[in-house]
Amino acid sequence: MSVMESTPVRHDCPFCQIVDGRLPATRIFESETVLAFEDIHPVAPVHVLVIPRAHISDPSALDETTAPLMGEMFLVARRVAEQKGIAASGYRLVMNTGRDGGQSVFHMHLHVLGGRMMAWPPG
Ligand code: AMP
Ligand code: ZN
């Protein structure tokens, strides 16, 4: 079974709606399996979200078939950082997971944040 067959689009999921074009987004990059688009409420000069096209709620839902998507997401994040001119200065990759992790959209996504100095520890 392919990744797309094992994780169908969820019609009530905003990021699935972006994947299939029902919800508009400013797309930065797309491949067969991964999509990158501008966050609608940016918290840094660069704030891009990288998602799998397939609906996977969060990293805990990955299995042997879908886990390689995570590597692809990191490769796309690097590409986004290069395209946005923050690869040399540095950036932060964040994947909020579950309630206490601050996840609000339950379609796995990697935040690419940059263009300013990041604080640590996070709030
Ligand atoms: P998280 O809180 O980690 O689940 O992050 C969800 C992110 O999705 C937030 O940064 C939101 O601003 C962003 N977001 C929610 N809806 C949209 C949308 N329709 N287009 C782009 N970004 C969105
Ligand atoms: Zn989804």
Side-chain angles (χ1 to χ4, degrees):
M1 193 187 287
S2 77
V3 168
M4 300 309 275
E5 283 165 348
S6 65
T7 53
V9 162
R10 300 281 166 84
H11 292 286
D12 57 349
C13 168
F15 288 179
C16 283
Q17 291 177 8
I18 286 174
V19 168
D20 70 18
R22 279 178 294 145
L23 198 60
T26 304
R27 293 167 182 239
I28 303 296
F29 176 82
E30 32 195 323
S31 74
E32 200 179 318
T33 51
V34 173
L35 182 65
F37 55 91
E38 301 279 2
D39 195 291
I40 202 167
H41 296 305
V43 297
V46 174
H47 190 173
V48 172
L49 301 176
V50 181
I51 67 169
R53 286 182 184 274
H55 182 90
I56 297 165
S57 59
D58 65 73
S60 69
L62 289 166
D63 59 23
E64 282 69 20
T65 307
T66 53
L69 287 169
M70 192 68 100
E72 291 177 37
M73 290 167 71
F74 276 83
L75 289 174
V76 170
R78 182 182 70 186
R79 194 181 179 117
V80 167
E82 288 165 354
Q83 195 175 321
K84 291 286 190 178
I86 57 169
S89 52
Y91 51 96
R92 182 167 292 173
L93 301 178
V94 176
M95 188 170 284
N96 297 324
T97 305
R99 186 199 62 190
D100 284 4
Q103 187 175 6
S104 62
V105 176
F106 289 85
H107 180 133
M108 188 169 91
H109 50 280
L110 188 59
H111 295 257
V112 183
L113 297 159
R116 66 168 170 81
M117 184 68 78
M118 297 293 151
W120 191 265

